[in-house]
């Protein structure tokens, strides 16, 4: 049972659930304060501040879980799988159903705590209810916007930015992985710009599987993606290596889809390196969290050696020495001169240990 729940609610889903739980509970507490302190209810049902808080702390988590489940379904099953017209229609239907659900649950909560002397239809259209529905729709929209901004900045980085965590540059020890789509020029010439962009879009959507291995998706640069981990998280359970193989496994699983839609089977090669980098926020009118340091350049140069060394996954010897696993095999490729670096770098090729 525990194993089933851990698969059903992975860390990414739990972050979504937690966000909506906190968001909706805070929203209903705020509404209780506005309606219960220094104001008088115009509707049939009147509650003092304490009663309002009881309702808020009951209704908030219930609506939070409902919103989180809807968001997870949209991100995993709907978004990028339907046209924009259908997506707008789904959003409209969702808004109506959300209000209906709110009415039913709120009526049940009021009945549980205080008893309701009116029927549910009268309750739904009681004086002041339209203002509450408008408030709920606005809150739902704001939470959805915050969710999208959080995704653009990277999971959890929005609140770190608001706290000023990246205002002053600071050092972190991190692992970086550069992934590059192979034969990208040939794919672009054959497919054309629009369909090639759709190919890259689909590949990077599938790259989302890497977050299950604690990966943070740092950047997309053309047909290249950059993943990063805090050192401890990347080394734990060899997440930095498993992320790559889980991604390639997913691409292989969906090979028929790619073959049918794009007449190709996309394949990525990758390079990894670990070390100290500086992290800070940059930009005045467009904020971005940026990492600087030789570690990033080295990881990029290592990836650039994949074709020359005929390997799909390369990493530095220094990173390999920090990993401890029997699931992977390493082949020493020797000291390789990398562009822009004075000293040669010891590089290893990685493969799954059969």
């Amino acid at each position: 049972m525990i194993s089933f729940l851990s698969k059903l609610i992975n860390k990414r889903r739990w972050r979504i659930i937690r966000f909506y739980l906190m968001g909706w509970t805070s929203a209903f507490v705020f509404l209780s304060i506005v309606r219960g302190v220094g104001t008088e209810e115009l509707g049939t049902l009147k509650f003092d501040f304490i009663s309002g808080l009881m309702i808020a702390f009951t209704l908030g988590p219930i609506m939070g879980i409902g919103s989180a489940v809807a968001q997870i379904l949209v991100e995993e099953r709907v978004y990028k799988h339907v046209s924009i017209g259908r997506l707008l229609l789904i959003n409209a239907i969702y808004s109506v159903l959300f209000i209906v659900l709110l009415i039913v649950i709120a009526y049940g909560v009021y009945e549980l705590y205080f008893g309701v002397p009116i029927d549910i239809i009268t309750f739904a259209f009681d004086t002041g209810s339209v203002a509450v529905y408008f408030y709920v729709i606005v809150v739902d929209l704001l939470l959805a916007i915050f969710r999208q901004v959080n995704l653009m900045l990277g999971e959890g980085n929005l609140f770190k930015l608001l706290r000023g965590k990246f205002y002053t540059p600071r050092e972190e020890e991190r692992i970086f992985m550069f992934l590059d789509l192979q034969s990208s020029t040939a794919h672009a010439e054959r497919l054309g710009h629009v369909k090639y962009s759709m190919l890259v879009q689909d590949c990077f959507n599938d790259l989302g599987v890497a977050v299950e291995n604690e990966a943070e998706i740092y950047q997309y640069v053309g047909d290249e993606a950059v993943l990063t981990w805090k050192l401890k998280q990347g080394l734990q359970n060899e997440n930095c290596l498993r992320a790559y193989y889980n991604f390639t496994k997913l691409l292989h699983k969906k090979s028929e889809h790619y073959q049918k839609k794009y007449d190709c089977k996309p394949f990525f090669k990758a390079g990894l390196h670990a070390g100290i980098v500086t992290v800070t926020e940059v930009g005045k009118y467009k904020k971005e969290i940026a990492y600087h340091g030789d570690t990033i350049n080295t990881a990029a140069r290592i990836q650039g050696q994949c074709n020359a060394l005929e390997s799909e996954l390369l990493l530095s010897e220094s990173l390999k020495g920090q990993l401890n696993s029997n699931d992977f095999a390493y082949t020493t490729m020797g000291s390789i001169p990398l562009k822009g670096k004075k000293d040669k770098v010891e590089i290893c090729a990685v493969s799954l240990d059969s």
Side-chain angles (χ1 to χ4, degrees):
M1 183 65 178
I2 295 176
S3 177
F4 171 75
L5 288 175
S6 64
K7 291 181 179 179
L8 183 64
I9 307 178
N10 55 36
K11 290 187 177 181
R12 186 190 66 82
R13 290 176 178 175
W14 169 241
R15 282 195 291 262
I16 295 174
I17 294 171
R18 183 178 59 190
F19 170 74
Y20 278 98
L21 282 174
M22 294 174 62
W24 275 112
T25 302
S26 299
F28 281 120
V29 168
F30 177 75
L31 183 61
S32 298
I33 295 172
V34 172
R35 299 181 70 184
V37 178
T39 60
E40 183 178 349
E41 290 282 353
L42 298 177
T44 304
L45 303 175
K46 303 181 187 297
F47 302 98
D48 56 28
F49 176 56
I50 300 301
S51 298
L53 283 181
M54 290 174 59
I55 295 169
F57 281 112
T58 304
L59 199 57
I62 295 174
M63 299 308 295
I65 291 174
S67 292
V69 170
Q71 183 65 33
I72 291 169
L73 288 175
V74 167
E75 289 186 12
E76 296 182 0
R77 301 296 178 88
V78 178
Y79 190 67
K80 294 300 181 185
H81 296 285
V82 298
S83 65
I84 186 65
R86 288 185 178 180
L87 186 62
L88 291 174
L89 178 61
I90 290 171
N91 285 335
I93 295 173
Y94 165 76
S95 297
V96 173
L97 292 177
F98 189 76
I99 293 299
V100 172
L101 180 65
L102 173 67
I103 292 170
V104 173
I105 294 176
Y107 185 82
V109 171
Y110 291 155
E111 176 67 34
L112 175 66
Y113 285 141
F114 312 108
V116 184
I118 56 178
D119 61 80
I120 191 169
I121 301 300
T122 305
F123 173 83
F125 295 99
D126 196 18
T127 304
S129 59
V130 174
V132 174
Y133 302 152
F134 177 74
Y135 173 79
V136 167
I137 290 174
V138 170
V139 169
D140 188 54
L141 178 61
L142 288 175
L143 289 176
I145 291 172
F146 273 118
R147 174 65 186 164
Q148 292 304 311
V149 173
N150 197 31
L151 286 174
M152 291 178 68
L153 292 173
E155 288 280 4
N157 285 330
L158 173 60
F159 295 105
K160 292 178 183 178
L161 272 176
L162 294 175
R163 298 201 318 263
K165 187 172 182 179
F166 303 115
Y167 185 76
T168 302
R170 60 191 181 84
E171 290 185 332
E172 288 185 357
E173 197 166 7
R174 281 186 167 267
I175 299 171
F176 280 85
M177 173 191 287
F178 278 72
L179 290 130
D180 183 61
L181 176 62
Q182 299 299 291
S183 305
S184 56
T185 302
H187 291 323
E189 290 177 348
R190 180 174 52 83
L191 295 171
H193 294 300
V194 174
K195 201 161 186 179
Y196 174 70
S197 293
M198 294 172 65
L199 168 64
V200 174
Q201 191 177 53
D202 277 357
C203 289
F204 287 164
N205 283 339
D206 288 335
L207 183 58
V209 72
V211 301
E212 297 177 11
N213 295 104
E214 307 291 344
E216 299 173 29
I217 300 175
Y218 170 44
Q219 282 183 336
Y220 301 111
V221 184
D223 52 27
E224 186 176 73
V226 186
L227 307 184
T228 183
W229 294 260
K230 288 184 177 179
L231 184 64
K232 182 178 179 180
Q233 293 175 336
L235 296 178
Q236 184 179 10
N237 197 34
E238 292 75 44
N239 277 322
C240 61
L241 300 182
R242 296 186 191 280
Y244 173 79
Y245 286 106
N246 286 339
F247 175 48
T248 56
K249 182 180 178 181
L250 181 59
L251 290 180
H252 179 73
K253 182 179 179 181
K254 297 179 66 175
S255 59
E256 289 187 13
H257 160 77
Y258 283 104
Q259 189 69 49
K260 182 178 180 180
K261 190 173 181 180
Y262 304 108
D263 193 26
C264 71
K265 296 179 181 180
F267 181 69
F268 285 75
K269 292 186 178 182
L272 295 107
H273 184 52
I276 294 176
V277 295
T278 301
V279 56
T280 186
E281 66 177 77
V282 295
K284 183 176 181 180
Y285 298 110
K286 181 184 181 300
K287 295 290 184 183
E288 184 174 320
I289 297 168
Y291 294 97
H292 303 126
D294 182 63
T295 299
I296 302 172
N297 298 329
T298 302
R301 301 304 184 195
I302 290 174
Q303 189 282 319
Q305 294 293 316
C306 285
N307 288 336
L309 299 177
E310 299 180 347
S311 298
E312 62 178 15
L313 180 60
L314 296 172
L315 79 164
S316 62
E317 177 69 33
S318 60
L319 174 56
K320 180 249 180 182
Q322 299 179 72
L323 293 165
N324 182 21
S325 172
N326 296 320
D327 296 333
F328 301 97
Y330 302 96
T331 303
T332 300
M333 308 303 290
S335 297
I336 308 297
L338 300 179
K339 184 179 178 181
K341 292 190 68 66
K342 181 179 179 181
D343 299 323
K344 293 182 180 180
V345 176
E346 291 279 349
I347 296 178
C348 294
V350 187
S351 60
L352 287 171
D353 193 354
S354 56

